[in-house]
Amino acid sequence: MNTEFESVIGLEVHAQLLTSTKIFCGCSTKFGNPPNSNVCPICLGHPGTLPVLNKKVVEFAVMLGLATNCSINERSIIARKNYFYPDLPKGYQISQFEEPICENGFIEIELEDKSKKKIRIKRIHMEEDAGKLIHDQGDDTLVDLNRCGTPLLEIVTEPDISNAKEAYSYLSSLKQILTYLEICDGNMEEGSLRCDANISIRPKGTIELGTRTEVKNMNSFRNVERAIDFEIERQIELVEEGGEVIQQTLLWNADLNEAFPMRGKEESHDYRYFPDPDLVPVVVDEIWKSELEKRLPELPQKRKVRFVTEYGIPEYDSEVLTSEKEIADYFEETVKTTKNYKSASNWIMVDVLKVIKDEKISITDFKLSPENLGKLINLINSNIISGKIAKEVFPEILKSNVDPEIIVKEKGLIQISDTSEIEKAIDEIISQNEKQVEEYKSGKDKVFGFFVGQVMRATKGKANPQIVNDLLKQKLSS
Amino acid sequence: MSVNNKQVEQIAKLARLKFDENEIENLTKDMNKILDYMDQLNELDTDNIEPLSHPLDLSNVMREDNLKESISRDDVFKNAPSHNEEFFKVPKVINK
């Protein structure tokens, strides 16, 4: 068969919210506490208990809605989604069905050819998380209900995503927005951001959607990409061999690089949603909405554009610096001290980010203050130290956040710009290396580097490299 | 609208309830009586009436995000038919 296929993808993302307490009770949402210690009669689903909605969850939902161009429903309803599974002691999950809090938004992503594409967001709704089941210890399934009732936002796209790369890009943008808003830490590995993909294929150019499958259990950005590629290929092969795609849920196995059909929970998808009589409607009026709008930070795309126009740094730099809010904040703090924006950008993109990556820390745990980094850059700019010396000073000041001006003075690292001192060193080196002088004069330009090295060694790296270059050229050609 | 025995069995299954044939028969009858009553209500013209999602005329009953103490493990497991020191135990459910 020669039919060409195209894939159609929609994503459902669950974002765990950074509230201190659960969505319907005052239990802690803290991760990593002993099993079944953050629970109370409400999240245990005991009869006669009354859930009360956490106001912060509504605020976070509205903020995300505004940041993703959604319309905020003035009135939204909380519903019960009924299913029986031991991770939910009540026998239903409190969620939203009809009239979710946000609808009809979009996130703009950048494609490989730099063009933009809008991925429409169908809805964002609030719901509670379920508990955790452990199947592989002993004869029974063990249940930890600490996570039960942790607030989630579910963000559902329209089937606007065409391939794994776009899915990756959408997910990165969404994570960036969530972390800029400081409502979710965006950590896929730890499960605070989870992504399910609905995937179908159809002959290229046709409109009707094919039967879709749902792929779950992808716990990293890379795995989302790989799982989508896998599933598209599986469906195409199946259809080309005359088979038919059946609607089913698959679980991604990252070790085997394959997705397998899930069994068990699925037998019936009859959730019998109905409005939860325990929870009254949520009304977000214009006043509340505009208050929340004022609380929105500058969002990543806007900040990226501003960095280019305000600081005159290249677009690439701006993209790297604004990839995380904390890195962008660090940059802006640094340029309060130094006006050399490009240099600040270079130091952060190369030196600072390298330390962070090597030590696997976040920039908020990076000890060197932006002010001291700014001072270091100023020392280079004003020719007090050379760039080379600065690279040596950097590791010394970063561990305990030392003022570079102090260390430069203490260690006598101030650059020698005094031409007579440098001249003296050059004269000595020229007289000691006649052979190399001859070589240079006979046209071997490479030897020049040898002289620079010698002068630098003689001055312990403190000679101003520009002056060294100029003087050497002058002396060697005389 | 009406339901048959098979649908009632399905509803019972979703709720993890077990009934014998006789009980199902009676439940089907009862449910159909309820549905008949609903049909009677359907005769009313409700075109210009907004659907009611909650019987109380209330909105925005919310709490601040303030931490409250959880309950002790002893209390947590008090009503559990099976547990160890840390976890509830349930019959193994197939997952993967």
Side-chain angles (χ1 to χ4, degrees):
Chain A
M1 247 196 282
N2 278 327
T3 323
E4 249 195 88
F5 289 96
E6 62 182 9
S7 46
V8 180
I9 302 158
L11 294 183
E12 287 172 20
V13 173
H14 286 88
Q16 225 171 58
L17 298 181
L18 290 170
T19 55
S20 326
T21 68
K22 293 187 177 180
I23 182 167
F24 297 118
C25 64
C27 286
S28 169
T29 52
K30 212 169 148 217
F31 181 77
N33 280 0
N36 294 303
S37 62
N38 297 343
V39 290
C40 74
I42 294 174
C43 46
L44 289 174
H46 285 194
T49 52
L50 191 65
V52 185
L53 181 61
N54 186 339
K55 191 176 172 192
K56 213 168 199 174
V57 175
V58 181
E59 294 178 341
F60 284 0
V62 173
M63 284 165 74
L64 180 64
L66 292 169
T68 54
N69 313 291
C70 287
S71 52
I72 311 299
N73 280 330
E74 196 191 331
R75 186 172 183 278
S76 84
I77 291 168
I78 295 163
R80 291 185 183 178
K81 177 182 180 177
N82 297 282
Y83 69 87
F84 220 91
Y85 205 60
D87 61 0
L88 260 178
K90 292 192 294 298
Y92 57 86
Q93 179 191 26
I94 304 178
S95 180
Q96 296 196 286
F97 186 54
E98 286 169 302
E99 302 179 53
I101 188 142
C102 314
E103 283 178 291
N104 304 325
F106 65 87
I107 287 179
E108 204 170 55
I109 60 166
E110 199 174 272
L111 305 181
E112 274 181 300
D113 64 357
K114 295 274 162 201
S115 66
K116 309 260 197 239
K117 178 174 177 180
K118 272 183 190 171
I119 307 296
R120 286 172 300 156
I121 289 170
K122 187 178 179 172
R123 56 186 281 142
I124 298 173
H125 70 248
M126 309 175 280
E127 63 183 27
E128 60 178 342
D129 207 346
K132 219 170 84 186
L133 301 183
I134 299 161
H135 301 287
D136 53 6
Q137 284 175 30
D139 295 333
D140 297 309
T141 289
L142 303 178
V143 187
D144 173 11
L145 296 175
N146 276 352
R147 204 180 58 186
C148 201
T150 295
L152 301 176
L153 291 180
E154 180 172 334
I155 304 115
V156 184
T157 73
E158 297 284 357
D160 287 351
I161 298 166
S162 312
N163 54 49
K165 278 222 161 61
E166 286 183 23
Y168 186 95
S169 172
Y170 164 79
L171 211 52
S172 310
S173 300
L174 177 60
K175 177 190 161 172
Q176 216 184 9
I177 293 168
L178 288 164
T179 49
Y180 264 69
L181 294 173
E182 293 173 350
I183 65 176
C184 171
D185 68 23
N187 191 329
M188 278 197 89
E189 285 78 5
E190 280 175 18
S192 38
L193 193 68
R194 305 195 279 266
C195 175
D196 303 335
N198 289 305
I199 303 166
S200 64
I201 56 161
R202 64 185 173 197
K204 216 168 189 167
T206 57
I207 294 163
E208 205 185 323
L209 292 171
T211 306
R212 67 185 162 91
T213 60
E214 188 178 9
V215 186
K216 288 174 178 279
N217 200 36
M218 302 159 287
N219 59 355
S220 73
F221 280 74
R222 192 56 57 205
N223 274 325
V224 171
E225 218 180 344
R226 282 161 60 204
I228 291 173
D229 277 335
F230 168 87
E231 178 55 11
I232 293 169
E233 209 168 301
R234 187 191 70 88
Q235 290 188 12
I236 292 176
E237 267 174 33
L238 188 68
V239 172
E240 281 179 343
E241 283 163 9
E244 213 175 301
V245 177
I246 50 164
Q247 192 169 338
Q248 61 181 341
T249 303
L250 301 141
L251 289 180
W252 176 248
N253 184 320
D255 296 328
L256 298 175
N257 228 337
E258 240 179 283
F260 297 95
M262 177 171 128
R263 279 167 295 142
K265 199 172 172 176
E266 252 211 314
E267 53 185 67
S268 157
H269 265 311
D270 187 358
Y271 290 134
R272 294 150 294 147
Y273 283 97
F274 66 91
D276 191 321
D278 287 341
L279 291 148
V280 298
V282 177
V283 174
V284 181
D285 59 16
E286 280 302 318
I287 300 168
W288 196 12
K289 198 170 96 178
S290 65
E291 268 170 29
L292 292 168
E293 201 156 16
K294 280 185 208 130
R295 273 170 51 185
L296 293 182
E298 185 182 27
L299 292 164
Q301 277 188 350
K302 250 193 167 165
R303 202 171 193 185
K304 189 178 132 189
V305 173
R306 180 172 62 82
F307 273 20
V308 173
T309 52
E310 190 174 336
Y311 302 116
I313 56 172
E315 215 170 289
Y316 172 80
D317 291 36
S318 182
E319 178 145 1
V320 175
L321 293 173
T322 56
S323 63
E324 281 176 40
K325 181 172 181 286
E326 288 76 14
I327 296 171
D329 290 344
Y330 191 93
F331 172 77
E332 292 215 277
E333 282 301 311
T334 306
V335 298
K336 277 183 186 164
T337 307
T338 179
K339 293 285 156 254
N340 196 327
Y341 306 134
K342 177 60 184 153
S343 183
S345 164
N346 288 346
W347 274 91
I348 293 169
M349 289 201 307
V350 180
D351 303 270
V352 176
L353 291 186
K354 184 178 183 302
V355 173
I356 284 166
K357 207 180 149 203
D358 288 349
E359 295 184 11
K360 295 195 174 89
I361 54 170
S362 114
I363 195 156
T364 45
D365 299 321
F366 185 67
K367 292 269 169 23
L368 183 65
S369 68
E371 195 196 348
N372 279 337
L373 178 65
K375 279 186 181 176
L376 184 68
I377 293 164
N378 285 342
L379 288 171
I380 311 166
N381 281 343
S382 48
N383 282 324
I384 294 172
I385 57 171
S386 66
K388 192 166 167 275
I389 292 283
K391 297 272 174 189
E392 285 167 24
V393 170
F394 182 71
E396 293 195 38
I397 59 172
L398 66 85
K399 292 226 167 61
S400 41
N401 188 26
V402 183
D403 185 335
E405 288 172 7
I406 292 173
I407 216 167
V408 163
K409 264 187 212 145
E410 272 180 7
K411 297 209 165 183
L413 299 171
I414 293 172
Q415 178 164 265
I416 304 166
S417 298
D418 178 355
T419 41
S420 63
E421 204 174 320
I422 297 172
E423 253 185 294
K424 215 178 106 200
I426 291 178
D427 287 342
E428 247 169 63
I429 284 154
I430 288 182
S431 66
Q432 282 162 12
N433 297 284
E434 278 169 31
K435 197 177 128 227
Q436 282 84 351
V437 175
E438 285 311 311
E439 281 176 15
Y440 181 78
K441 286 191 172 163
S442 65
K444 261 190 155 182
D445 289 345
K446 270 189 186 165
V447 195
F448 190 73
F450 162 79
F451 287 107
V452 175
Q454 291 296 313
V455 177
M456 281 307 189
R457 186 193 277 179
T459 56
K460 296 195 178 81
K462 289 186 288 183
N464 181 324
Q466 194 53 51
I467 298 177
V468 172
N469 272 331
D470 292 348
L471 283 178
L472 259 176
K473 266 187 200 142
Q474 209 181 304
K475 297 242 171 198
L476 282 170
S477 50
S478 65
Chain B
M1 192 189 163
S2 67
V3 288
N4 57 34
N5 287 0
K6 223 180 150 191
Q7 285 167 309
V8 172
E9 265 170 43
Q10 174 63 13
I11 295 164
K13 197 180 156 204
L14 289 170
R16 300 300 192 269
L17 295 171
K18 228 179 211 162
F19 300 104
D20 62 32
E21 264 174 56
N22 206 9
E23 285 169 317
I24 291 282
E25 189 67 42
N26 285 331
L27 279 167
T28 308
K29 268 186 206 153
D30 287 347
M31 281 194 193
N32 279 327
K33 269 187 207 154
I34 297 168
L35 289 170
D36 283 346
Y37 179 59
M38 291 296 150
D39 278 340
Q40 209 180 320
L41 289 178
N42 273 343
E43 287 166 22
L44 285 170
D45 176 12
T46 55
D47 279 356
N48 296 314
I49 296 171
E50 282 220 18
L52 181 77
S53 59
H54 205 279
L56 298 176
D57 189 20
L58 279 175
S59 63
N60 289 357
V61 177
M62 292 181 284
R63 39 174 274 274
E64 297 299 324
D65 186 28
N66 296 329
L67 209 59
K68 272 195 182 163
E69 214 168 308
S70 296
I71 60 175
S72 74
R73 276 263 183 76
D74 285 346
D75 284 339
V76 168
F77 293 133
K78 225 172 213 167
N79 295 316
S82 178
H83 63 89
N84 62 21
E85 290 101 75
E86 294 188 298
F87 294 97
F88 293 96
K89 281 160 69 170
V90 296
K92 191 151 250 167
V93 286
I94 315 155
N95 194 43
K96 281 170 194 175

